[in-house]
Amino acid sequence: MQVPAYVDYERATSVEHALALLARYGPGARVLAGGHSLIPMMKLRLAQPETLIDINPLTELDYVRLDGGELRIGALTRHAGLLGSPLAGAAAPILHDAERVIADPVVRLWGTVGGSLCQADPSEDLSAAFAALKATMVIAGPGGERTVPARMFHTGPYETVVAPGELLTEIRVPVAPGGGSAYVKVGRRAGDWPVGAAGAAVRLDGNVITSAGIGLTAVGAEHFCAAEAEEALRGAPATEESFARAGRLAAEHCRPVTDQRGPADYKRHLAAELTVRALRRAADRARGPGRGA
Amino acid sequence: MSGAAGGPAGAAAERPLPAAGRKEDARFIRGRGRFLDDITLPGMLHGAILRSPLAHARIASVDTAAARAHPMVEAVITGDMLAERGLAWMPTLSADTQAVLATDKVRFQGQEVAFVVARDRYAARDALELISVEYEPLPPVTDARRALDPDAPVIRDDQPGRADNRVFDWSAGDLAATEAAFAAADVVVTQEMHYPRSHPAPLETCGAIADADPVTGRLTLWSTTQAPHAHRTLYAMITGLPEHKIRVISPDIGGGFGNKVPVYPGYLCAIAGSMLTRRPVKWTEDRSENLMSTTFARDYHMRGQIAADADGTILAVRASVLADHGAFNGAAQPSKYPAGFFHVLTGSYDLRAAYCQVTGVYTNKAPGGVAYSCSFRVTEAVYLIERLVDLLARELGADPAELRMRNLLRPEQFPYRSATGLRYDSGDYPRALRKAMQIAGYAELRAEQARRRERGELMGIGVSCFTEAVGAGPRKHMDILGLGIADGADLRVHPTGTATLSVSCQTQGQGHETTFAQIVAAELGLSPDDVDVVHGDTDRTPFGLGTYGSRSTAVSGAAAAVAARRVRERARLVAAAMLEVDPEDLEWADGAWRVRGDPEQARRIAEIAMAAHSGLELPDGVEGHLDASAVYDPPDLTFPFGAYICVTDVDPGTGEVRVRRFVAVDDCGVRINPAIVEGQIHRGLADGIGIALMQAIAFDADGNCLSGSFMDYLLPTSVECPSPELGMTVTPSPHHPLGAKGIGESATVGAPAAVVNSVMDALAPLGVRHADMPLTPAAVWRAIKGCPIRPGPIGG
Ligand SMILES: Cc1cc2nc3c(=O)[nH]c(=O)nc-3n(C[C@H](O)[C@H](O)[C@H](O)COP(=O)(O)OP(=O)(O)OC[C@H]3O[C@@H](n4cnc5c(N)ncnc54)[C@H](O)[C@@H]3O)c2cc1C
């Protein structure tokens, strides 16, 4: 049996209380959300926090709603909650595509959207999905609330801009008509982390792409996105040629590494192939009636 | 679909099922199983093992002072301390030696270096971090193909006079005849292939509780073992404790698949810890320890060649193999067969000649070598021949099923002596293949494939015919460390007519308590509900070598049947006395001894048992009860067989493989419990899909194990495994008392080749001939690109 080291435990009852506890216990404290990443790391003693601040009682952070042209997702929303939200499915089908292939039902029932993003694993699916959607993260701290674009949220593998003493509270996704989005992932097995995955969110005017977001994960893409490919798509027709070019650019600008999931050249190929597939589906959806981002 | 699709149910119908399904299910389903970690003894302490972070290094020093000073720690044991008692090294099942705790060097990442005993498992784990070990790193051997290089570091310098990393050279078959056949052949196909290192990964990891009683001198060891008696003998040999003072108990076992055959250092550490502290000590390993340090399977680098006439008659096969055995040769197999039954490489075909040569080498990887439902290397052999036959079909432009059909052994050739000297007991191979093709709708599948190929879609149809070799006998040819591989059964019939059977084999979830009760019940005319099976306790069961190699029904099942028949014969004498007739005037029919010509005059076992314990004047030959025992020394191996067809679809853009259908026709002789047999097949097919598509224990160039968790070592899920379509034929074994052959490993043996053949068939239009397992999306894509992933360390 894997056994974690000694740890103290506190249960937060509100966002303010959680922030107060984080302040009281300092850098040795760690937020506990679903625990599906943190607890395995503690068992392996890769993480040895002194105090866990359990935010599971903060049900006020468990919601998915539309507000002011934005889809707002509370940080404590479970994967299963996001997957089960018709609102999210309509406004941003990429999120349902992604959630369907993240982990397994047990992990999805308790693991949270905020926990996934704060874990900042370089293979995290939602990081790519929100990067494609150009979402905004809301962070609460002792000095109040601040917002950070999704693409500036991650500062490196397992590192984010969320400082000790802060809490991610919400993710905001812009929603506008004429948009479509999709997510495509290759794993070695159901519930496996991605070998590579790509998400796309496009907005069309007729068949012209007015804006495009491309998210990539597990392939060493900076900020989980493919900026050069997005740039090339803006104003281009939504055709196979455009998608193929975007795929090539996405592949060119990522820095995958060889590991047990696959060699770097394969992952680079996936960056191209999956970018094309995601764009194709996203554009199809954008053309379809009554679709959101 | 289920076995209902198959042929006659053999004698199965004669063996009534227990009223409530599998006897063991009630306790497992209700959470009432009692596994090792469920057991707590008064005053029990907890052990944890410090493991090497390096694959190859000299140990300069081990400092345990800080750990010993931990307030919860009762003892810290090092290799040097064990060495003082002669316990630092132990024999392996292949008569090599293995370090219990390292003294001189560490030889693989995860090797056992020190053992902490503390008052709870948390403190034990905490104290590991207080031990400081100074290592002097040495270059590791991580690629078996470099192990015999002249400048390769010598891993086993503990063995006096050793100058290289060679473990053994072994060969079988007739080299000259094989060379002659190859020389005369029209077509020769050659292929290099690697059967990757895999791991049995039972859901319950290994563990032990040792209770060395300082007063009685008795040692009781609860442990996760598939072979309690063999382990007891080994502990006596290793520790010098008298064998009658040792009791090994194997509680419920959460899966074994061969992983729980060896004696592991952790078991001996628990024993040493209990002797030192004079209190019971529990040790259970975690998932990473299980994957990184316990026995692996396969890791065969094979070069295979097949020779045929232009008309498709297969003439001969040969193979040369480099076998990676890790740092210690811990392979569990009959001692005369260092490569197990790899010489079954002629498979299901009528070949003129065959030859194989296997060289085992040491590498800086976890020890072991045989495990994971492989029937002592039959998996590797079947994979080799089935890949070669497919490649030959490709070369000849023949349909792979038709090519097999024309070369399969014919029923009239049995018993058949193979070119490498194995004697196949019985079989009707063409019937099994025809049945599989019929269930699959083979011709229609080929037509569909042609249509899809025109659209650029990649669909594959893979065929695999396999011949298994199980039972491991007779004992004069098969032993492990000098212990003949045979098994015993003791059968007691109680006065009221219920019975208790004690067997030496050990169930790990495969339903022995049901199957063996059925065997006895059918022989004695009892209900299986009236027969209980005792196993897994050396104080309560007869000696025998345990469960692996699909041998439980093949050997212990036979012992149970023989013991039951002895009971029945003794009952005949008592029945004759009761009925006042001559025993010769009785015949056994409908579960009772009946007077010939007057069948109403009959006595059932329950009546006879009571009489045998009563004041009845007993006849000669009966002393007072009906009990009997038996030791079954199998006259030979049994040879289950089957034909599998796997249908896959491959995404050309990503290399992803979807297994669409799996048709499996198995012949394991007589089926005692059809549902249990099908359960074994379902499991084995999942194993096969996992091995073929996703599993491998991988290393980097420094010898770091990259597969130490279930995130990296993948087990297939229901998503990857289609509901299999099963069929069966029944060809009884002529030399087994029940006609049964064993089923435990058939599907694991036969399935990987079917999957790989299917994927290679899908990729055929792209010119792909071969790619090694596991066929991950990356491996398939690289094969399509013409640069298949090669075996060897990853990265670096
Ligand atoms: C078997 C398995 C398979 C998986 N497969 C996938 C997969 O295919 N794809 C994928 O993307 N992911 C996968 N995951 C990861 C999974 O999505 C995450 O483990 C999980 O959802 C993380 O969320 P959590 O709530 O459990 O986080 P926790 O484990 O509770 O926390 C993770 C980290 O985030 C911090 N944190 C959590 N919430 C906040 C907050 N609101 N503010 C600040 N910091 C916070 C914690 O302190 C901790 O450092 C898998 C996990 C498992 C166990």
Side-chain angles (χ1 to χ4, degrees):
Chain A
M1 195 180 82
Q2 275 149 349
V3 282
Y6 181 87
V7 66
D8 280 317
Y9 172 88
E10 291 279 0
R11 213 172 142 77
T13 52
S14 67
V15 172
E16 295 68 43
H17 186 214
L19 292 174
L21 288 169
L22 284 170
R24 181 175 346 142
Y25 287 99
R30 207 63 184 263
V31 170
L32 174 71
H36 272 298
S37 289
L38 184 53
I39 292 192
M41 288 199 304
M42 288 169 61
K43 284 181 168 182
L44 293 167
R45 302 201 175 196
L46 297 171
Q48 291 203 24
E50 288 158 19
T51 314
L52 287 179
I53 312 293
D54 185 354
I55 61 165
N56 282 284
L58 307 192
T59 46
E60 69 260 40
L61 292 184
D62 182 358
Y63 57 85
V64 180
R65 60 174 172 251
L66 271 176
D67 197 343
E70 284 178 327
L71 183 71
R72 298 189 172 200
I73 303 164
L76 202 70
T77 303
R78 313 285 169 186
H79 289 297
L82 186 57
L83 183 55
S85 159
L87 218 53
I94 183 176
L95 294 176
H96 276 192
D97 288 353
E99 284 294 4
R100 230 172 257 127
V101 292
I102 289 176
D104 51 53
V106 175
V107 173
R108 290 200 296 261
L109 273 176
W110 205 240
T112 66
V113 173
S116 295
L117 294 170
C118 291
Q119 178 65 22
D121 190 293
S123 300
E124 175 60 51
D125 285 300
L126 287 183
S127 300
F130 287 118
L133 290 167
K134 298 178 183 160
T136 302
M137 314 302 190
V138 182
I139 298 166
E145 228 175 61
R146 62 188 176 117
T147 58
V148 176
R151 294 169 176 213
M152 290 170 69
F153 184 75
H154 296 103
T155 49
Y158 308 102
E159 281 175 19
T160 71
V161 296
V162 181
E166 287 188 320
L167 205 60
L168 174 68
T169 55
E170 187 180 76
I171 302 98
R172 295 177 185 164
V173 176
V175 186
S181 63
Y183 192 78
V184 190
K185 165 173 167 175
V186 168
R188 295 165 301 171
R189 189 203 66 187
D192 187 22
W193 287 84
V195 182
V202 298
R203 214 152 278 157
L204 298 186
D205 183 0
N207 201 37
V208 174
I209 300 168
T210 56
S211 83
I214 295 173
L216 291 171
T217 193
V219 293
E222 214 180 338
H223 303 304
F224 292 95
C225 64
E228 297 78 8
E230 292 168 349
E231 188 56 41
L233 284 171
R234 195 169 323 126
T239 58
E240 282 297 312
E241 294 71 46
S242 306
F243 300 159
R245 179 148 167 263
R248 274 197 305 279
L249 284 166
E252 243 167 62
H253 286 89
C254 61
R255 302 268 170 280
V257 292
T258 294
D259 60 18
Q260 215 188 337
R261 295 196 169 87
D265 61 347
Y266 173 67
K267 294 182 182 180
R268 192 182 295 282
H269 161 76
L270 279 187
E273 178 71 28
L274 300 184
T275 294
V276 171
R277 292 186 185 193
L279 282 167
R280 199 182 283 147
R281 276 185 83 186
D284 275 352
R285 284 174 172 165
R287 291 182 195 108
R291 290 288 176 182
Chain B
M1 238 200 271
S2 75
E14 298 158 21
R15 290 194 185 84
L17 301 168
R22 290 205 329 163
K23 281 167 160 272
E24 39 278 271
D25 284 348
R27 79 172 182 279
F28 289 142
I29 290 168
R30 293 179 194 176
R32 293 293 179 89
R34 192 159 178 260
F35 298 88
L36 183 100
D37 211 28
D38 296 324
I39 298 168
T40 298
L41 302 182
M44 189 173 79
L45 302 172
H46 296 265
I49 292 175
L50 182 73
R51 294 178 181 278
S52 168
L54 301 174
H56 200 192
R58 199 159 295 288
I59 297 178
S61 66
V62 181
D63 182 352
T64 62
R68 276 183 282 126
H70 188 292
M72 297 277 280
V73 168
E74 296 285 337
V76 181
I77 300 173
T78 61
D80 285 342
M81 289 167 68
L82 290 182
E84 285 167 22
R85 294 167 172 79
L87 293 176
W89 292 82
M90 63 176 185
T92 70
L93 297 180
S94 281
D96 192 1
T97 50
Q98 174 173 357
V100 177
L101 291 175
T103 47
D104 53 342
K105 288 203 305 189
V106 288
R107 294 175 169 86
F108 68 95
Q109 188 190 46
Q111 186 179 336
E112 299 77 4
V113 175
F115 187 67
V116 169
V117 182
R119 262 171 268 152
D120 68 37
R121 66 200 340 167
Y122 293 88
R125 177 68 183 76
D126 289 347
L128 294 185
E129 283 164 38
L130 301 174
I131 300 174
S132 65
V133 184
E134 210 183 316
Y135 294 104
E136 290 161 5
L138 297 166
V141 179
T142 53
D143 187 340
R145 294 163 305 175
R146 301 260 72 92
L148 296 179
D149 286 359
D151 60 345
V154 177
I155 296 167
R156 296 301 302 279
D157 49 357
D158 56 293
Q159 299 173 345
R162 173 168 279 286
D164 64 16
N165 294 316
R166 189 181 302 270
V167 187
F168 63 83
D169 285 302
W170 179 81
S171 63
D174 185 334
L175 178 59
T178 307
E179 281 177 346
F182 270 83
D186 298 324
V187 187
V188 171
V189 175
T190 304
Q191 183 62 50
E192 306 267 342
M193 44 188 119
H194 181 227
Y195 204 133
R197 180 175 275 238
S198 63
H199 195 281
L203 281 190
E204 180 204 33
T205 58
C206 299
I209 302 169
D211 186 8
D213 187 325
V215 178
T216 63
R218 280 192 67 105
L219 168 69
T220 307
L221 187 79
W222 287 260
S223 72
T224 51
T225 172
Q226 298 175 218
H229 289 278
H231 277 203
R232 184 182 59 167
T233 304
L234 270 171
Y235 293 129
M237 285 158 49
I238 297 168
T239 63
L241 286 172
E243 193 164 357
H244 69 293
K245 297 269 191 197
I246 305 174
R247 178 181 185 187
V248 175
I249 301 174
S250 197
D252 281 330
I253 299 289
F257 317 110
N259 187 239
K260 291 168 181 165
V261 177
V263 168
Y264 290 120
Y267 302 164
L268 282 160
C269 286
I271 293 172
S274 179
M275 288 176 150
L276 198 66
T277 61
R278 306 177 144 235
R279 287 167 67 177
V281 172
K282 177 191 274 188
W283 165 76
T284 54
E285 67 191 2
D286 64 31
R287 177 62 54 198
S288 300
E289 292 180 286
N290 180 254
L291 286 170
M292 291 173 66
S293 74
T294 64
T295 195
F296 67 96
R298 327 286 195 262
D299 218 346
Y300 261 31
H301 298 262
M302 308 188 280
R303 181 169 195 270
Q305 286 190 298
I306 192 165
D309 279 344
D311 71 353
T313 304
I314 306 175
L315 304 173
V317 62
R318 70 179 165 204
S320 75
V321 177
L322 190 63
D324 186 337
H325 279 252
F328 308 100
N329 183 17
Q333 62 211 344
S335 52
K336 287 179 193 142
Y337 297 92
F341 303 146
F342 185 77
H343 52 308
V344 73
L345 85 162
T346 56
S348 308
Y349 308 102
D350 186 11
L351 303 190
R352 242 169 258 173
Y355 179 76
C356 60
Q357 186 279 324
V358 182
T359 296
V361 295
Y362 290 118
T363 59
N364 289 111
K365 300 178 191 172
V370 169
Y372 201 0
S373 312
C374 78
S375 264
F376 301 128
R377 305 287 187 194
V378 180
T379 32
E380 288 93 326
V382 164
Y383 179 73
L384 178 98
I385 181 75
E386 289 306 299
R387 283 297 298 128
L388 288 175
V389 170
D390 248 44
L391 287 161
L392 178 66
R394 185 88 70 90
E395 186 77 18
L396 295 169
D399 179 272
E402 275 166 28
L403 182 68
R404 284 179 170 81
M405 194 64 94
R406 69 173 297 168
N407 286 285
L408 285 176
L409 289 167
R410 294 181 311 283
E412 62 273 17
Q413 288 177 280
F414 291 87
Y416 171 79
R417 184 166 287 276
S418 80
T420 53
L422 291 163
R423 201 171 53 235
Y424 295 9
D425 54 350
S426 65
D428 187 342
Y429 295 0
R431 179 161 68 127
L433 179 55
R434 270 196 306 275
K435 181 158 243 162
M437 291 171 74
Q438 176 201 328
I439 296 172
Y442 188 77
E444 170 46 36
L445 279 175
R446 286 285 173 210
E448 179 193 346
Q449 182 184 47
R451 289 194 299 276
R452 286 186 185 272
R453 279 185 177 168
E454 273 177 23
R455 298 202 294 267
E457 293 171 18
L458 302 178
M459 166 185 167
I461 304 160
V463 182
S464 150
C465 293
F466 68 88
T467 295
E468 249 275 62
V470 314
R475 60 195 297 167
K476 67 176 180 224
H477 296 318
M478 310 274 177
D479 71 275
I480 291 182
L481 292 178
L483 299 172
I485 305 189
D487 272 284
D490 284 354
L491 180 57
R492 288 198 201 168
V493 181
H494 311 300
T496 53
T498 62
T500 303
L501 175 76
S502 310
V503 287
S504 52
C505 62
Q506 170 60 36
T507 189
Q508 310 127 43
Q510 61 272 62
H512 288 180
E513 288 158 47
T514 302
T515 299
F516 288 92
Q518 283 182 257
I519 291 173
V520 168
E523 298 293 339
L524 297 182
L526 301 174
S527 157
D529 294 317
D530 290 335
V531 183
D532 265 7
V533 177
V534 174
H535 52 85
D537 182 343
T538 54
D539 271 10
R540 296 174 65 206
T541 59
F543 189 88
L545 278 224
T547 293
Y548 38 85
S550 305
R551 58 192 300 282
S552 292
T553 297
V555 184
S556 280
V562 170
R565 286 170 192 175
R566 286 185 181 150
V567 164
R568 203 168 66 193
E569 281 313 307
R570 192 167 297 170
R572 177 186 208 158
L573 301 179
V574 178
M578 293 167 77
L579 292 163
E580 297 179 352
V581 296
D582 191 280
E584 292 307 313
D585 292 335
L586 295 178
E587 63 183 354
W588 180 261
D590 292 332
W593 283 114
R594 298 174 191 278
V595 176
R596 278 182 222 277
D598 186 6
E600 292 306 300
Q601 286 270 58
R603 291 291 181 272
R604 298 189 162 274
I605 288 291
E607 302 162 275
I608 303 170
M610 186 58 88
H613 286 89
S614 73
L616 177 78
E617 179 122 7
L618 293 171
D620 282 353
V622 186
E623 285 165 6
H625 56 61
L626 300 179
D627 304 355
S629 59
V631 175
Y632 188 73
D633 178 16
D636 206 336
L637 298 162
T638 60
F639 292 82
F641 60 94
Y644 290 177
I645 298 178
C646 173
V647 183
T648 57
D649 297 293
V650 178
D651 183 327
T654 61
E656 291 169 287
V657 174
R658 185 174 73 96
V659 178
R660 194 205 302 174
R661 290 178 63 193
F662 213 120
V663 174
V665 173
D666 271 280
D667 191 324
C668 57
V670 170
R671 295 183 175 203
I672 290 153
N673 185 309
I676 286 178
V677 168
E678 289 188 10
Q680 294 284 300
I681 297 167
H682 281 226
R683 191 218 85 233
L685 295 177
D687 272 352
I689 289 171
I691 290 166
L693 297 184
M694 61 193 78
Q695 291 175 353
I697 297 284
F699 296 84
D700 69 13
D702 295 328
N704 295 308
C705 178
L706 305 177
S707 315
S709 83
F710 278 162
M711 301 290 253
D712 301 303
Y713 188 76
L714 300 179
L715 304 188
T717 74
S718 56
V719 177
E720 288 76 38
C721 302
S723 199
E725 302 162 59
L726 304 187
M728 69 168 177
T729 61
V730 175
T731 314
S733 171
H735 62 63
H736 186 277
L738 301 170
K741 291 186 170 186
I743 188 62
E745 295 155 305
S746 286
T748 315
V749 163
V755 179
V756 175
N757 284 345
S758 182
V759 175
M760 293 306 122
D761 185 51
L763 302 183
L766 307 175
V768 176
R769 262 173 58 94
H770 179 77
D772 283 326
M773 301 185 284
L775 295 175
T776 59
V780 171
W781 180 80
R782 285 283 290 266
I784 292 173
K785 293 286 145 196
C787 48
I789 292 177
R790 302 275 173 220
I794 288 180

